[in-house]
Amino acid sequence: MSHKVYNFSAGPANLPSTVLKKVQSELLDWSDSGMSVMEVSHRSKDFVALAVNSESMLRELLNVPSNYKILFLQGGATGQFSAIPLNISTPTDTADYIITGNWGKKASEEARSYLNVNVVANESTSNYTTLPDLNKVSFSSDAAYVHYTPNETVYGVEFSKPLAKSSVPMVADMSSTILSRPIDIGSYDLIYAGAQKNIGPAGLTIVVINENLLGKARSITPSVLNYTLMSESESMYNTPPTLSWYIATLVFRWLLDTGGLEERHKINLAKANLLYQCIDSSKIFKAPVVESARSLMNIVFTAQDNELEKTFLEEASKANLKNLKGHRMIGGMRASIYNAMPIEGVETLVDFIDNFDRRYT
Amino acid sequence: MSHKVYNFSAGPANLPSTVLKKVQSELLDWSDSGMSVMEVSHRSKDFVALAVNSESMLRELLNVPSNYKILFLQGGATGQFSAIPLNISTPTDTADYIITGNWGKKASEEARSYLNVNVVANESTSNYTTLPDLNKVSFSSDAAYVHYTPNETVYGVEFSKPLAKSSVPMVADMSSTILSRPIDIGSYDLIYAGAQKNIGPAGLTIVVINENLLGKARSITPSVLNYTLMSESESMYNTPPTLSWYIATLVFRWLLDTGGLEERHKINLAKANLLYQCIDSSKIFKAPVVESARSLMNIVFTAQDNELEKTFLEEASKANLKNLKGHRMIGGMRASIYNAMPIEGVETLVDFIDNFDRRYT
């Protein structure tokens, strides 16, 4: 079978099949070394060349200005929830947090251990189906930074463009939107993203940081979370997650080879539009997020009742449409359609939804 | 060719070829899911079963008592250098550090940001070729913990048994010795090990901790380094490094299938004895570490002069004996012969050294 299953997991998520096949083909012998890539030293000539090449490709994809550093760190975005205040604030500072879902909420909660957190917007009142009206938000006059989550994975809400930039450093958790569309890096001072949605396997996190935020880490910052140390050592202060970094590099190559982020954005828009239109025209399903706030990556939808949702998920799984269950916090359904989900996967899901709709109404 | 190269890298290091072949064979379709293991949610039924099974196998291999928790964390051992004081001490506490090499030194330096560090032994005066006489060490009367490094990767020195245990919590960085021989876990309260030597790919770290040390993390502990949070969430407070965890699990299976750690210890002793005997009987090479302190995993040796070392390394590499260069801090040669290095690899190296010895004297 050319495609056994379509995997709509929110993360760890599906990866491009060309990338996986490449990983498989050279798993025992990477770069003519006679060794697996996971067996070679991060300081070997070949791996350092991979790391340099990886950064250069990511810089090209995201069009990163030369005054921004790119860091390849261990762990996931959750590790950055503490790293950010530890690196760019003091304990008496205040940071403004915009909460549009679960991840922004968690980021703000962890930050409270390190500075004063001012929640300037919180969409929990709409059950995270909306985005705040930023004209009505009162930002702190002297915030160390503003933090927000351009795409919220659990509820499926996304800012379609960056927030207006002031002189306050702008920090964004891009875990589930990075590489899905062009980003204006200049609209941010620090972006970060766990790898396991659009980059590669879990265990790698990418940070893009304006150089003017370096050199400010508190003395209690763990070295593995210290952006200055990591920047000075080209992300090799200690052993980086080499296998994940290598796979991420293959994903960058795949993105460049398939037209970069402009092209990717077109495809992602087409995929999301197709699916939202299908849901909006269904008699059984609906998408709770208001139209202007809908995510291109995580399409959340519900059915009329829990029984129907259960039936839908069971039947979908049997039809090899996998991992459509919503996050355990909110239930319902969620189709995560990251870069690696081909449009054929979305078309197959749409056909399945249409058919289900006919059969159960 | 049955074996293209022998890889003596200190880490990331070679992995059992049966494990790598298994990874390759199921890379596109794990556990009949139609998905790669790196594409499935860590909360999926299949991955949770893997995690439970993994812990159970490691518990069996290390004979871990039931009052110890096993954590599978992100990153490497360096991340634990801050995690340890943050989790089990207060800022006014003192901890005793025994320094027998580079890693213990780094651990002690990072700990200084979090508590008072009392270096109770430091073998730098012998250039780390010896172990301290513990009868002459003055431990603090009220230390929060004692920290040491049973095997030092850079200099190749190893304690052949655990230090005597007092009521003070004993903490050990086992990165380059874990799983190489049976461990008496009861002689420690907390052991930790980065995966990239004897466990699996870089990006995973294992912590085995006495439950009585949980519940003491400082409020400024980053959640990803918080043992209590990680213990309460079965190492899934956030997304764990699933691909590395899976590969580690295959390594645990391989160890159990090949006789466990008693058997592994016998093989490792045979490998190390073979190599040390060869070096000791050579006219050109010598092993600087005193006999009672020699590592079973990292065999450090030098030649009469730098030119000969350079020639040796070049010729060895051409003979497919790879990554024998000593750590960049000390030069010379180092053969890391972790579990995955078959005795045939050591025999081949020994033949090569003997031959080199004859040709250059």
Side-chain angles (χ1 to χ4, degrees):
Chain A
M1 194 166 0
S2 73
H3 207 294
K4 216 170 161 186
V5 305
Y6 288 112
N7 173 17
F8 295 92
S9 171
N14 65 334
L15 286 164
S17 59
T18 55
V19 166
L20 289 175
K21 283 175 189 159
K22 173 92 169 153
V23 174
Q24 185 181 45
S25 72
E26 59 191 23
L27 196 93
L28 303 180
D29 185 6
W30 173 70
S31 190
D32 285 326
S33 66
M35 296 171 260
S36 179
V37 66
M38 67 186 106
E39 297 179 303
V40 304
S41 169
H42 53 297
R43 301 198 192 279
S44 65
K45 208 176 67 178
D46 284 352
F47 196 86
V48 169
L50 177 145
V52 168
N53 187 31
S54 188
E55 192 206 303
S56 151
M57 285 196 287
L58 184 57
R59 199 170 275 278
E60 181 181 347
L61 279 167
L62 293 175
N63 197 15
V64 177
S66 60
N67 62 323
Y68 285 69
K69 287 277 187 185
I70 300 179
L71 309 178
F72 294 81
L73 305 181
Q74 289 160 327
T78 300
Q80 305 308 313
F81 294 170
S82 52
I84 290 158
L86 282 166
N87 276 277
I88 67 169
S89 77
T90 69
T92 55
D93 279 343
T94 295
D96 289 349
Y97 277 75
I98 295 168
I99 299 178
T100 54
N102 182 54
W103 294 107
K105 183 160 171 273
K106 287 189 98 164
S108 73
E109 283 164 359
E110 183 143 359
R112 284 182 199 283
S113 297
Y114 306 99
L115 84 174
N116 305 305
V117 167
N118 184 18
V119 174
V120 293
N122 189 339
E123 299 300 289
S124 63
T125 44
S126 76
N127 223 356
Y128 301 118
T129 57
T130 52
L131 290 172
D133 179 351
L134 292 168
N135 294 316
K136 293 186 182 155
V137 169
S138 301
F139 290 98
S140 305
S141 57
D142 56 351
Y145 60 88
V146 173
H147 181 283
Y148 74 111
T149 314
N151 185 74
E152 277 282 356
T153 324
V154 173
Y155 296 90
V157 296
E158 183 167 11
F159 288 94
S160 61
K161 41 182 187 217
L163 302 197
K165 178 90 178 68
S166 70
S167 60
V168 175
M170 194 64 90
V171 177
D173 175 358
M174 292 229 167
S175 296
S176 50
T177 181
I178 195 167
L179 297 173
S180 70
R181 55 168 92 200
I183 309 177
D184 174 24
I185 297 289
S187 296
Y188 308 90
D189 295 279
L190 195 172
I191 67 170
Y192 63 105
Q196 66 269 21
K197 285 112 170 35
N198 258 336
I199 297 171
L204 172 72
T205 290
I206 284 171
V207 169
V208 182
I209 184 170
N210 191 324
E211 281 176 353
N212 67 21
L213 290 179
L214 295 174
K216 303 178 175 190
R218 300 187 201 175
S219 64
I220 56 160
T221 310
S223 57
V224 294
L225 297 177
N226 186 314
Y227 299 149
T228 310
L229 273 184
M230 284 297 178
S231 172
E232 285 166 357
S233 57
E234 306 295 334
S235 304
M236 292 197 190
Y237 177 77
N238 66 332
T239 312
T242 50
L243 177 59
S244 299
W245 196 345
Y246 150 78
I247 296 173
T249 307
L250 296 180
V251 171
F252 301 156
R253 177 82 270 156
W254 172 75
L255 286 169
L256 286 170
D257 287 348
T258 55
L261 301 193
E262 296 276 0
E263 182 60 24
R264 195 50 50 190
H265 189 205
K266 279 185 211 159
I267 299 168
N268 286 329
L269 272 171
K271 282 152 57 183
N273 286 339
L274 192 62
L275 189 46
Y276 281 120
Q277 277 166 22
C278 162
I279 295 162
D280 286 343
S281 64
S282 151
K283 296 193 189 68
I284 291 176
F285 302 102
K286 65 171 186 183
V289 176
V290 301
E291 212 170 320
S292 58
R294 286 176 174 178
S295 167
L296 295 190
M297 294 287 103
N298 310 100
I299 282 80
V300 168
F301 56 107
T302 56
Q304 281 157 353
D305 59 60
N306 287 347
E307 271 311 303
L308 219 41
E309 288 182 351
K310 213 177 136 199
T311 306
F312 175 82
L313 289 169
E314 280 168 12
E315 291 192 10
S317 182
K318 278 183 197 149
N320 281 330
L321 299 165
K322 299 288 185 188
N323 301 320
L324 282 162
K325 199 171 176 178
H327 191 277
R328 63 209 153 97
M329 289 174 59
I330 61 169
M333 278 79 65
R334 173 176 52 171
S336 294
I337 51 173
Y338 300 117
N339 285 340
M341 174 58 66
I343 193 142
E344 293 76 16
V346 178
E347 287 164 351
T348 307
L349 175 59
V350 162
D351 287 348
F352 182 83
I353 292 174
D354 284 345
N355 186 279
F356 190 92
D357 217 55
R358 277 194 300 277
R359 286 187 291 121
Y360 284 92
T361 43
Chain B
M1 196 164 1
S2 73
H3 208 292
K4 215 170 161 186
V5 304
Y6 289 113
N7 173 16
F8 295 92
S9 171
N14 63 335
L15 287 163
S17 58
T18 54
V19 167
L20 289 175
K21 283 174 189 158
K22 174 92 168 152
V23 174
Q24 185 180 45
S25 72
E26 60 191 22
L27 196 91
L28 303 180
D29 184 6
W30 173 70
S31 189
D32 285 327
S33 66
M35 295 171 262
S36 180
V37 66
M38 65 185 108
E39 297 178 303
V40 305
S41 171
H42 53 296
R43 303 199 191 277
S44 65
K45 207 176 67 179
D46 284 351
F47 196 86
V48 169
L50 177 146
V52 169
N53 187 32
S54 187
E55 192 205 303
S56 151
M57 286 196 284
L58 184 57
R59 199 171 275 279
E60 180 181 348
L61 279 166
L62 293 176
N63 197 16
V64 177
S66 61
N67 61 325
Y68 286 68
K69 286 279 186 183
I70 300 179
L71 309 178
F72 293 82
L73 305 182
Q74 288 161 328
T78 300
Q80 305 310 312
F81 294 170
S82 52
I84 290 157
L86 282 166
N87 275 278
I88 67 170
S89 77
T90 69
T92 56
D93 278 343
T94 295
D96 289 348
Y97 277 75
I98 295 169
I99 299 179
T100 54
N102 180 56
W103 293 107
K105 185 160 169 272
K106 287 189 98 165
S108 74
E109 283 165 357
E110 183 143 358
R112 286 183 198 281
S113 298
Y114 306 100
L115 85 174
N116 305 305
V117 168
N118 183 18
V119 175
V120 293
N122 188 340
E123 299 301 286
S124 63
T125 46
S126 76
N127 222 358
Y128 301 117
T129 56
T130 52
L131 289 172
D133 179 352
L134 291 168
N135 294 316
K136 295 186 180 155
V137 168
S138 302
F139 291 98
S140 305
S141 57
D142 56 351
Y145 60 89
V146 174
H147 181 282
Y148 73 112
T149 316
N151 185 73
E152 276 282 356
T153 325
V154 173
Y155 296 90
V157 297
E158 183 166 13
F159 288 93
S160 61
K161 41 182 185 214
L163 303 197
K165 179 89 179 72
S166 70
S167 61
V168 174
M170 194 64 90
V171 177
D173 175 358
M174 293 229 168
S175 296
S176 49
T177 183
I178 195 165
L179 298 173
S180 69
R181 54 168 93 202
I183 308 177
D184 174 25
I185 297 287
S187 295
Y188 308 90
D189 295 278
L190 194 172
I191 66 169
Y192 63 105
Q196 67 268 22
K197 286 113 172 34
N198 259 337
I199 298 171
L204 172 71
T205 289
I206 284 170
V207 169
V208 182
I209 183 169
N210 190 323
E211 281 176 354
N212 67 21
L213 290 179
L214 295 173
K216 302 179 176 189
R218 301 187 200 173
S219 64
I220 57 159
T221 309
S223 57
V224 293
L225 297 175
N226 186 315
Y227 298 149
T228 310
L229 273 185
M230 284 297 178
S231 172
E232 286 165 357
S233 56
E234 306 296 334
S235 303
M236 292 197 190
Y237 176 77
N238 66 331
T239 312
T242 49
L243 176 59
S244 300
W245 196 344
Y246 150 78
I247 296 172
T249 308
L250 297 180
V251 171
F252 302 155
R253 178 81 271 156
W254 171 75
L255 286 169
L256 285 170
D257 287 349
T258 56
L261 301 193
E262 296 276 0
E263 182 60 24
R264 195 51 49 189
H265 189 205
K266 280 185 213 161
I267 299 169
N268 286 330
L269 273 171
K271 281 154 55 184
N273 287 339
L274 192 63
L275 190 47
Y276 281 120
Q277 277 167 21
C278 163
I279 295 163
D280 286 342
S281 64
S282 152
K283 296 193 188 67
I284 291 176
F285 302 102
K286 65 172 188 182
V289 176
V290 301
E291 211 169 321
S292 59
R294 286 178 175 178
S295 168
L296 295 191
M297 294 287 105
N298 310 99
I299 282 82
V300 168
F301 56 108
T302 56
Q304 282 158 349
D305 59 61
N306 287 347
E307 271 310 304
L308 261 182
E309 288 182 350
K310 214 178 135 199
T311 306
F312 175 83
L313 290 169
E314 279 167 10
E315 291 192 11
S317 182
K318 278 182 196 147
N320 281 331
L321 299 165
K322 298 289 185 186
N323 302 320
L324 283 162
K325 199 172 175 177
H327 190 277
R328 64 211 152 93
M329 287 174 58
I330 61 168
M333 278 80 66
R334 174 176 52 173
S336 293
I337 51 173
Y338 300 116
N339 285 341
M341 175 58 66
I343 192 142
E344 293 77 16
V346 177
E347 287 165 350
T348 307
L349 175 59
V350 162
D351 287 347
F352 182 83
I353 292 173
D354 285 344
N355 187 278
F356 190 91
D357 217 52
R358 279 196 298 278
R359 286 187 290 121
Y360 285 91
T361 42

